Structure formats: C-alpha cells, structure tokens
Amino acid sequence: AQERYASILDLPAQAKCGSVISLHMNAGLMADLPSLTSSGAEGVGLFRTELQFLVRNQMPRRMELAALYSRVLDAAHGKRVVFRTLDIGSDKVLPYMKPTDEPNPALGWRAIRVGLDKPGVMRMQLQALIRAANGRPLAVMFPFVAQFEEFRAARAEMDKTLAREERLGHVLPSRIEVGAMLETPSLAFAPKKFFEEVEFVSIGGNDLKQFFFAADRENELVRRRYDTLNLSFLNFLQGIVERCEETGTAVSFCGEDAGRPVEALCFGAIGLRTLSMRPASIGPVKSLIRRCNLDEVREIIEQARERGDMSVRPAVMDYIRAQHS
Ligand code: PEP
Ligand code: MG
C-alpha cells in the first residue's frame, strides 16, 4: 500500500488553499523508527514510553533507558521526537508495582497522577531522557494533565532534574521543550496562564473523546457510538485550537483519529496544523489533504453548523467525492 503513495513521499501535505499540515508519526518501539524515513514523517509526534516498562518483570534501570532513548534520537537523525513520560496505572499495571483495585481504572490513578504521587520513577525517566539527549534538543510531554497545577508540578520536577544533572556534570539538552497532553476536557478550560506557560499542547484524542462523550474507548458496546466528526466534538476541538492561537501556543493532535483521512482533513479545516499518526496513515492522509481546499472544508463545516447537522461527515464526504470527478 505504501507504494501507492511513493510519488508524494517527499511532497508536503499542502492543501489546494496553500495551507500545509505537518505530519508526524506515533511510535513506541525502536523497531518503529525506520518508518520515519519510509513514511515521510517529519518527526515523532508521540513516543509512548510505557512499553519498555511493561515488557519486563522489573523496573528498567536508568542507564538502560538512557541508552534506549539515545538510540531513538540517533535513529531520528535530528528530526524532532516528542517523548511522552510514563502513561501507566490502573489497567496498564506494571508487573513489579503493587496493583491497585479501582472501580473505574480509566478515571483512576494513572499517568501523571502516579508520576506526581510517586516521583521517583518520573525523576529517573527524566534523568534518562536528559542524558540520552546529551546536548541535543529534547521534547517531553506529560500525559493526562487535568489541571494547570499538575503541569506546573511536573515542569518543576523537570527543572529540578535539569539542575541536578548539571551539578553532576552532565551536558544539558541544547534546547528543551516541555508540553502537556490535553486528554481531559478540564484542561481545555484551564486559565490562560496555562496556555502561556506550556510550550506545546498535544491533544490526545483517544482519551479526550472518551471523556467528552462519557463513552469508554475499550467498550465495544459504546466505543463507536459517537462520531469524531460530531459537531459538538469538533466545536470543542476548534475552541482548543483558538485558545492556543490566542497565546501562540503550538498545538497538535496525536490520537488515532489523526490517521483517518476524513478526520485529518476536518482537523486541518478547524485550524490544526500538526498531526501525529501511525506511520502507515501518513500517505493516505497526505493524499487527501493535497486534493482538498481547507477553506472550502471550513465553509462546509460552517454550513453544517448552521443547518444543525449532528456530524459534518456526510457533507464533507460529498465534498470529497466531488474532488475526484
Ligand atoms: C490519546 O489518548 O489520544 C493518546 C494519544 O494516548 P494513548 O492512546 O496512549 O492513551
Ligand atoms: Mg491517552
């Protein structure tokens, strides 16, 4: 299937209106890295770090992690890699951690909540990342931030770790970017100051959507019940993009929906300019964006709003079909 997109591999995802969408890939294993070249991704927009913690029966050592992250950066050849700190807890229980018995694991003690309550592991991981960067740029984001204070506390851990590493004589990253994943609706309504302080926001659409519609992403009975292109959700996403534009905060979308061409097109139409997806989705997404005009899609979304459509999908699909003929 990748051959079908070989002719556009080196071309930008530029729409007919001239706007360019920057396409990045999601990864989590060393084995994913060769896709950076073969897919034409501009970088790794989401590197999920939990796999290295889940596949073993004891806590990985700092040195092992630093070596692994260093190899990831080597393999990226200077392309940006956004490392997401450990997103575990509840359902993703580490075999060597005391299990917790929680009635609603998805709403439970997970991700940054664990990181802040038991900072030892987070500090170790931040140290490993700083050492792996070894003078190169470093981008890190924290998962599942529900309120500004959590981001501030995590950012403070990063600053403390940087200071400690410097005292120990390690070379610091040449540039450091610290971001937050926006995966809970509450963060979209955080004070303006949050958007001013955070260096970038990455919308984790998988979790954000499940909490927006109160529909479990793991539950077959409800997980496909609500369309991502439902206008309520699209309006919500557009609001987030506009808040980020107001403060000049970089914003991207890294949930699975970014890899679905029609969804990606609509995300571009509401102002998102950076998407991160499975490597195999980059070709199809780019191909559709190049055939369409984002201003026109935006207008179609506006008309759907005025009509009171439930989802913009039917209208956008009609538009897409018309681009072929
Ligand atoms: C998300 O929630 O959209 C996301 C990218 O993170 P994960 O799928 O790993 O929860
Ligand atoms: Mg998530």
Side-chain angles (χ1 to χ4, degrees):
Q2 289 294 72
E3 285 106 70
R4 263 183 72 196
Y5 303 103
S7 62
I8 55 169
L9 183 71
D10 298 317
L11 299 176
Q14 182 164 34
K16 294 264 190 264
C17 51
S19 294
V20 177
I21 312 280
S22 178
L23 305 182
H24 298 247
M25 65 173 237
N26 296 345
L29 292 170
M30 207 45 222
D32 296 330
L33 269 296
S35 299
L36 251 183
T37 318
S38 60
S39 70
E42 282 179 43
V44 177
L46 164 66
F47 189 90
R48 292 182 166 102
T49 61
E50 43 282 354
L51 276 169
Q52 289 78 38
F53 286 81
L54 286 165
V55 296
R56 54 183 77 213
N57 44 30
Q58 58 184 18
M59 186 71 77
R61 284 184 227 274
R62 187 177 55 211
M63 286 214 342
E64 284 174 78
L65 283 182
L68 173 92
Y69 300 149
S70 177
R71 277 191 284 131
V72 170
L73 290 171
D74 291 344
H77 297 294
K79 287 184 176 177
R80 181 170 180 256
V81 179
V82 181
F83 290 95
R84 173 177 77 184
T85 62
L86 201 52
D87 186 5
I88 47 116
S90 305
D91 56 325
K92 282 187 232 160
V93 184
L94 301 181
Y96 40 89
M97 245 177 87
K98 203 163 70 204
T100 53
D101 186 18
E102 300 182 57
N104 279 306
L107 306 178
W109 195 55
R110 49 177 293 196
I112 195 174
R113 299 171 182 176
V114 179
L116 293 174
D117 293 354
K118 294 235 176 286
V121 180
M122 188 160 86
R123 283 181 196 146
M124 186 269 282
Q125 193 178 25
L126 294 177
Q127 271 188 320
L129 286 165
I130 293 165
R131 291 187 193 179
N134 190 27
R136 292 176 281 191
L138 178 64
V140 176
M141 66 183 177
F142 296 103
F144 219 67
V145 178
Q147 59 182 13
F148 185 15
E149 275 312 309
E150 290 170 338
F151 174 73
R152 272 209 170 142
R155 166 96 234 194
E157 283 297 339
M158 173 60 104
D159 292 340
K160 265 194 284 182
T161 308
L162 283 165
R164 189 168 342 104
E165 289 298 285
E166 190 168 34
R167 276 199 307 276
L168 292 172
H170 292 285
V171 185
L172 297 189
S174 56
R175 167 171 164 59
I176 180 138
E177 290 174 275
V178 183
M181 286 190 74
L182 197 158
E183 310 189 86
T184 60
S186 60
L187 197 64
F189 301 98
K192 186 171 180 194
K193 193 117 190 75
F194 162 73
F195 291 92
E196 285 166 357
E197 277 187 25
V198 71
E199 273 159 297
F200 63 93
V201 164
S202 186
I203 300 173
N206 306 332
D207 279 311
L208 188 63
K209 189 181 161 190
Q210 83 165 334
F211 298 120
F212 186 79
F213 288 111
D216 188 347
R217 65 190 264 192
E218 309 281 345
N219 182 339
E220 282 304 327
L221 290 171
V222 297
R223 66 189 220 94
R224 273 184 282 270
R225 190 177 181 93
Y226 303 101
D227 191 350
T228 300
L229 299 182
N230 177 298
L231 263 168
S232 298
F233 191 54
L234 218 51
N235 289 342
F236 179 54
L237 289 178
Q238 190 169 325
I240 295 169
V241 174
E242 284 165 5
R243 290 206 72 187
C244 289
E245 280 169 355
E246 233 176 75
T247 46
T249 311
V251 56
S252 60
F253 186 108
C254 69
E256 294 307 317
D257 284 315
R260 302 191 170 103
V262 183
E263 279 81 338
L265 177 68
C266 293
F267 294 165
I270 60 164
L272 278 159
R273 287 294 170 268
T274 306
L275 305 175
S276 192
M277 62 197 70
R278 288 168 37 235
S281 295
I282 290 183
V285 165
K286 190 192 286 185
S287 166
L288 181 62
I289 288 171
R290 290 178 57 84
R291 290 202 306 275
C292 298
N293 180 319
L294 296 182
D295 297 334
E296 288 170 8
V297 177
R298 196 176 173 101
E299 181 54 35
I300 282 162
I301 292 174
E302 196 43 57
Q303 289 162 5
R305 254 187 208 120
E306 276 159 29
R307 281 195 304 272
D309 293 3
M310 181 171 71
S311 164
V312 305
R313 189 178 304 275
V316 172
M317 287 305 295
D318 284 347
Y319 168 84
I320 292 171
R321 276 189 287 267
Q323 305 315 299
H324 286 286
S325 51

